[in-house]
Amino acid sequence: AQTVTQSQPEMSVQEAETVTLSCTYDTSESDYYLFWYKQPPSRQMILVIRQEAYKQQNATENRFSVNFQKAAKSFSLKISDSQLGDAAMYFCAYRSQLNTGNQFYFGTGTSLTVIP
Amino acid sequence: DTEVTQTPKHLVMGMTNKKSLKCEQHMGHRAMYWYKQKAKKPPELMFVYSYEKLSINESVPSRFSPECPNSSLLNLHLHALQPEDSALYLCASSQDPATVYEQYFGPGTRLTVT
């Protein structure tokens, strides 16, 4: 099974600053999808950004962007101009392109604190 | 409408009780999931339904019984639970089991077993 590792259990950032959350994964597959999910204290998981492995261009969604390094199996999330509402648990997730049961593999999460 | 709804929001039950959790989506999604999540941990997959058929059971104890009555509804029947089953139970859905789409999550049901 694929494994997803988030080595930073907790991170903090000053409001309006930039922070990068790390994610690495282990797979023998060449085609797959990667996601960052955000879970605020209210608990609903929300998709932040998605990256297809076959795309070389890094995905961007407003203040959120990724640095996808396929050879290094690294998928970090950069949050620019951090806002108080960005405080949450962030989970990195992997999904095979193969129809292997629709399983998402989640990392252990990074708890992000935004300091006013 | 990109919403997955779950009821109830909170549930307290004794170890001899029988209760059910309900999940509903009206996005036309054909894959639905149950996850269990402990505090500050990632979601753990329990069950996957594809086209209303159970496709994955992650070795979940039989005291948890899923049911998919139709393409919009997913239930989780609970019986004779243990205190360690206390957790947040998340439902999710995705568009097409045969294609990779992101999952949409509901707000969860906070379950406490006494």
Side-chain angles (χ1 to χ4, degrees):
Chain A
Q2 285 72 20
T3 57
V4 179
T5 301
Q6 292 179 248
S7 59
Q8 306 153 315
E10 297 178 344
M11 291 282 285
S12 62
V13 62
Q14 289 285 146
E15 194 175 2
E17 296 295 309
T18 295
V19 64
T20 298
L21 309 183
S22 301
C23 173
T24 58
Y25 55 94
D26 185 26
T27 184
S28 58
E29 298 173 343
S30 58
D31 293 319
Y32 48 86
Y33 293 76
L34 296 164
F35 304 86
W36 278 99
Y37 279 88
K38 167 185 177 181
Q39 190 175 34
S42 64
R43 300 192 297 268
Q44 187 149 12
M45 297 263 281
I46 305 166
L47 177 69
V48 175
I49 201 163
R50 153 192 171 135
Q51 174 80 44
E52 292 88 341
Y54 64 85
K55 290 186 177 179
Q56 293 186 342
Q57 186 172 7
N58 289 326
T60 299
E61 286 287 341
N62 300 315
R63 297 183 295 107
F64 298 87
S65 61
V66 298
N67 184 2
F68 174 49
Q69 302 288 329
K70 190 173 184 179
K73 296 179 183 176
S74 171
F75 182 59
S76 61
L77 175 70
K78 185 171 84 170
I79 305 173
S80 303
D81 185 25
S82 297
Q83 300 175 1
L84 294 178
D86 295 333
M89 281 289 286
Y90 285 82
F91 293 101
C92 178
Y94 172 103
R95 165 62 157 99
S96 171
Q97 189 189 26
L98 301 173
N99 186 15
T100 54
N102 311 304
Q103 288 161 290
F104 278 56
Y105 296 92
F106 286 91
T108 50
T110 297
S111 178
L112 178 67
T113 300
V114 180
I115 303 165
Chain B
D1 182 10
T2 57
E3 190 175 63
V4 177
T5 59
Q6 290 186 245
T7 54
K9 290 187 178 180
H10 301 275
L11 178 63
V12 179
M13 61 185 292
M15 289 189 285
T16 59
N17 291 157
K18 285 185 180 181
K19 296 286 184 183
S20 296
L21 309 184
K22 180 180 174 181
C23 173
E24 195 164 3
Q25 58 88 12
H26 295 286
M27 297 178 278
H29 289 179
R30 302 312 298 272
M32 297 186 76
Y33 312 76
W34 279 117
Y35 289 91
K36 174 183 177 181
Q37 187 180 29
K38 292 282 196 178
K40 295 192 176 294
K41 298 290 186 183
E44 300 172 33
L45 184 65
M46 299 175 71
F47 303 103
V48 180
Y49 272 84
S50 297
Y51 296 102
E52 297 92 66
K53 294 190 188 307
L54 184 65
S55 61
I56 290 180
N57 175 343
E58 289 286 351
S59 302
V60 179
S62 60
R63 56 185 184 269
F64 295 91
S65 175
E67 178 196 20
C68 190
N70 59 57
S71 60
S72 300
L73 276 175
L74 186 65
N75 297 319
L76 186 63
H77 303 297
L78 314 172
H79 173 57
L81 294 192
Q82 303 297 310
E84 59 264 29
D85 296 322
S86 299
L88 181 69
Y89 288 83
L90 295 169
C91 174
S93 70
S94 61
Q95 189 166 345
D96 182 346
T99 309
V100 178
Y101 289 99
E102 52 267 28
Q103 295 187 2
Y104 292 86
F105 285 84
T109 293
R110 171 68 64 190
L111 174 66
T112 302
V113 181
T114 60

